[in-house]
Amino acid sequence: ADAQAQLAAAAAMPAPAAAPEPVAPQAAGISASERQISAALIAAQQTADAIVAEAQQNADHICSEADAKAREVIRQALQEKQEELKEIDRLKASREDFKAEYLKLLQHFMDDAQNSFPSDLMVSSTPVGSAAAVPVASPVAAAPAAPEPAPVADPFAPLDNFGVDDLD
């Protein structure tokens, strides 16, 4: 019964194109069961070959899908990297703009302070040894120096032409 089942299975499988046709028994000693075993072995070999070919095809398909996915992940990572580099450049430019505006504002306050107070008052009121007594280079070197305005009279200084008779 097993031999007939194997023979039926072998008959159901298509014959391989590359497999040689069974040779007629050369000797009368080859029995029918040996022919059935031979046919079963041929069918098993054909089935194994088909399974291996299908597995190889599946492996190739999986590899190509993995390569495509890896390329897509790398492409996305490079795109994100470019976006992050652009953001870094934008932040650096923003920092430089802020720094320039800050220095301009400081220079404006320094110029305003120099224009508001007489130079002799600024020099004489500075304590000796303080950091303010040390001349500071302008942080904005590219800006031309503003012309010195005429000194403004100190409103708290005593008047030279003020006399006792003026109190009446």
Side-chain angles (χ1 to χ4, degrees), residues 13 43-59:
M13 295 296 291
Q45 182 64 41
Q46 290 173 347
T47 304
D49 290 343
I51 291 172
V52 167
E54 185 179 348
Q56 183 63 42
Q57 187 179 19
N58 286 341

Side-chain angles (χ1 to χ4, degrees), residues 3 19-20 27 44 47 73 79-80 82 84-85 106 112 125-126 132 140 145 149 160 162 167:
T47 304
V73 167
Q79 183 180 3
E80 288 177 16
Q82 285 301 108
E84 293 299 324
L85 288 174
L106 285 177
D112 193 35
S125 65
T126 306
V140 182
D160 292 337
F162 181 71
L167 291 176

Side-chain angles (χ1 to χ4, degrees), residues 8-74:
M13 295 296 291
E21 292 185 24
V23 180
Q26 296 176 355
I30 298 179
S31 69
S33 64
E34 290 176 343
R35 281 188 290 241
Q36 289 175 346
I37 292 173
S38 176
L41 287 175
I42 291 172
Q45 182 64 41
Q46 290 173 347
T47 304
D49 290 343
I51 291 172
V52 167
E54 185 179 348
Q56 183 63 42
Q57 187 179 19
N58 286 341
D60 291 343
H61 180 70
I62 290 170
C63 285
S64 65
E65 283 181 358
D67 285 342
K69 188 166 186 158
R71 281 190 211 97
E72 178 63 22
V73 167
I74 289 170

Side-chain angles (χ1 to χ4, degrees), residues 17-161:
E21 292 185 24
V23 180
Q26 296 176 355
I30 298 179
S31 69
S33 64
E34 290 176 343
R35 281 188 290 241
Q36 289 175 346
I37 292 173
S38 176
L41 287 175
I42 291 172
Q45 182 64 41
Q46 290 173 347
T47 304
D49 290 343
I51 291 172
V52 167
E54 185 179 348
Q56 183 63 42
Q57 187 179 19
N58 286 341
D60 291 343
H61 180 70
I62 290 170
C63 285
S64 65
E65 283 181 358
D67 285 342
K69 188 166 186 158
R71 281 190 211 97
E72 178 63 22
V73 167
I74 289 170
R75 186 192 63 77
Q76 286 177 348
L78 290 174
Q79 183 180 3
E80 288 177 16
K81 176 186 171 188
Q82 285 301 108
E83 290 172 5
E84 293 299 324
L85 288 174
K86 285 179 185 177
E87 180 67 12
I88 288 170
D89 290 342
R90 187 191 68 74
L91 289 172
K92 283 181 180 178
S94 177
R95 180 187 64 192
E96 290 301 316
D97 290 346
F98 176 77
K99 180 180 175 183
E101 287 295 319
Y102 182 69
L103 290 175
K104 198 185 318 181
L105 183 63
L106 285 177
Q107 186 63 43
H108 172 73
F109 285 139
M110 289 173 53
D111 292 343
D112 193 35
Q114 286 178 346
N115 293 336
S116 297
F117 299 106
S119 341
D120 59 339
L121 181 64
M122 300 258 312
V123 172
S124 65
S125 65
T126 306
V128 177
S130 71
V134 177
V136 177
S138 173
V140 182
E148 293 257 348
V152 177
D154 185 8
F156 301 107
L159 298 174
D160 292 337
N161 61 358

